Structures are given as structure tokens and as C-alpha cells.
Amino acid sequence: MAPSRLENGVTGSMEWSVHACPSQIRREVGAVFPSLGSADMTHLLIVATCQHSAMDLVQMGDAVDVEKDLLLEQFMAWAKPLCERLMAQGHWADYIDPCSGLPMVHQEGQVVYAEVEALSVLQGFKTSNAGCCKILLHPKWGSAVYPASMFTTAPLEVLMAAVATLP
């Protein structure tokens, strides 16, 4: 059973939901962000995002690569200023590069964040195997989905205020 969402919404074409870091993935998240102490982990919020793709992202080819690049740019344009606002207020924040699975701000570790597995835990989404990769199956969009995540220790109210300032 997926943990209850603390908040959710839509910004542009991106769905997002905020979750307290559940015990099922706390150890993995701690390995991705080794500078976070156990006290920080108890207050860590995960913002899981999903963008609807114009095509099935399991496919390969130039058109899929262009689509993935566009969705990556849209996520980065949302996550980077959000993290900057939160950090300017003295809160820890980071986001994952969906291409590498590595943190963009706190780069002291080399452990990859498993977006698909985490979204399966956080949202209860189903997954499927496509060759050697696990793919996320959005309940409405199927595999035409681009997942990405950001993290913060800011209180929920501060996070929501920062999200509200984004275009």
C-alpha cells in the first residue's frame, strides 16, 4: 500500500506529489545522499513528479531521444529554481538528474536513485520489465511517462510556498 500523499498538484504539464520518506526506501535515499543525517531523514520530503510524454518512452530512436531531452529540460527548469529558493531559506534540497540517477546539488555520493522503484513505493504505480530495464506504468498514461524527483528537509508549508512561486 502506497504511503498517503501530503500534497499533490499540477504545474504546467507536470503532476507532482509530496511524500514523507517512507521506511521502505529510507536506506536507499540515505545512500544517495550520504551527508543527510538520520535526524534529517525523519523530516525528508520527496517530491515525485511525472510528465506525460507525447510517446511511449520505452521505444528507441531519434524522436524518443528528442522527447526525453525536452522533458528533462522541463523538469530541470522546475526543480533547479525550487531547490535554489529552499536553500536560500536555509533548507537542504536536491533533485535527481533523471538521465544519470545522481543528485545534482549534493554530489558527494555515487549511488544511483531508482526513480521507477521509488515511484512504485510512493505512488503505488505498477512496473513492467522491458529487457533489462524496469519501466513505470502510470495509471492513465502507461509507459508514456517521464518520472523525476526532488528532495528537501524544508517544512511542508515552506515547500508549498516555494512551489507556488514557480511559473
Side-chain angles (χ1 to χ4, degrees):
M1 181 169 175
S4 62
R5 290 182 197 117
L6 301 174
E7 279 289 338
N8 61 19
V10 177
T11 302
S13 63
M14 183 167 41
E15 289 183 350
W16 52 265
S17 57
V18 181
H19 307 263
C21 186
S23 59
Q24 300 100 307
I25 63 172
R26 191 170 291 156
R27 191 166 149 189
E28 176 193 357
V29 172
V32 173
F33 302 111
S35 65
L36 274 178
S38 58
D40 291 327
M41 289 297 291
T42 61
H43 301 291
L44 187 69
L45 298 177
I46 302 174
V47 183
T49 73
C50 291
Q51 293 180 77
H52 188 193
S53 170
M55 60 191 66
D56 182 346
L57 295 180
V58 175
Q59 305 302 317
M60 299 176 84
D62 291 342
V64 173
D65 291 342
V66 168
E67 178 72 1
K68 286 179 180 178
D69 288 345
L70 173 67
L71 297 170
L72 171 65
E73 289 171 14
Q74 290 174 347
F75 172 71
M76 296 290 196
W78 182 83
K80 184 178 180 190
L82 179 56
C83 284
E84 288 171 347
R85 282 187 177 103
L86 294 169
M87 290 185 298
Q89 296 175 37
H91 303 288
W92 183 96
D94 207 335
Y95 57 106
I96 299 294
D97 175 355
C99 293
S100 69
L102 296 172
M104 293 297 295
V105 179
H106 302 92
Q107 300 178 345
E108 65 274 357
Q110 290 300 311
V111 176
V112 172
Y113 181 68
E115 289 281 1
V116 171
E117 291 173 23
L119 265 167
S120 179
V121 170
L122 295 171
Q123 296 275 52
F125 290 172
K126 294 183 190 290
T127 61
S128 179
N129 290 325
C132 62
C133 297
K134 223 178 203 185
I135 59 167
L136 188 70
L137 298 174
H138 188 280
K140 294 180 197 165
W141 310 329
S143 59
V145 61
Y146 191 82
S149 299
M150 69 89 46
F151 304 80
T152 187
T153 56
L156 181 60
E157 313 78 57
V158 173
L159 172 61
M160 292 298 90
V163 168
T165 66
L166 296 175

